Structures are given as C-alpha cells and as structure tokens.
Amino acid sequence: MKTVYDVAQLLKKYGIIVYLGKRQWDIEMMEYELTELFKHKLLDREVYARARSILKVELDKEKAKNKVVD
C-alpha cells in the first residue's frame, strides 16, 4: 500500500466508497472510516498504521496546497 488510491481500494473491500467532491474531505473521511474499521477489529495494527500514515502525508500536502498565501 503506497497511495491514497490503495487505501481507497482497501476500504472498498469493506463496502466503503468515499467521494465527497473535494480531495481533502475525501482523505479526512477515509481516515475516519479506517479508524472505525480498526476499532471494530476488522483491520490489523500494521495495515491500519500504514494506511493512516499515507493519508496523513497526503492530507498535509493537500492542506498546504489549499492554503491561501496572504
């Protein structure tokens, strides 16, 4: 697992499809869904940690890209 797409495919295996229309929102919702799967013991710790780290990096990039420079 290396990309946000890979994380989306992981979620899809559990019947979860995330599309909110804005990449930042999509990534935030994917983080939420991953956490819920982990809480319910459907994901092991390594998979959860790897997916969260991918999403965290991408979310930081997205926030930096969308930040308005004054």
Side-chain angles (χ1 to χ4, degrees), residues 8-20:
Q9 293 306 304
L10 172 66
L11 291 173
K12 193 173 177 183
K13 289 179 185 176
Y14 294 94
I16 300 167
I17 297 172
V18 175
Y19 180 76
L20 299 172

Side-chain angles (χ1 to χ4, degrees), residues 27-37 39 52:
I27 294 168
E28 290 169 349
M29 182 57 77
M30 285 185 212
E31 281 184 333
Y32 172 78
E33 294 293 353
L34 272 174
T35 301
E36 290 300 307
L37 289 172
K39 281 182 191 175
R52 279 292 307 251

Side-chain angles (χ1 to χ4, degrees), residues 1-13 54:
M1 195 171 3
K2 296 181 181 181
T3 66
V4 173
Y5 177 78
D6 296 335
V7 176
Q9 293 306 304
L10 172 66
L11 291 173
K12 193 173 177 183
K13 289 179 185 176
I54 291 167

Side-chain angles (χ1 to χ4, degrees), residues 37-68:
L37 289 172
F38 182 68
K39 281 182 191 175
H40 290 85
K41 301 189 186 323
L42 296 171
L43 294 178
D44 66 20
R45 186 173 302 278
E46 292 87 28
V47 171
Y48 172 71
R50 180 69 185 137
R52 279 292 307 251
S53 72
I54 291 167
L55 294 179
K56 172 94 173 90
V57 168
E58 291 300 317
L59 185 58
D60 290 344
K61 286 181 191 175
E62 202 60 31
K63 285 180 178 179
K65 186 174 81 173
N66 292 333
K67 192 172 187 179
V68 177

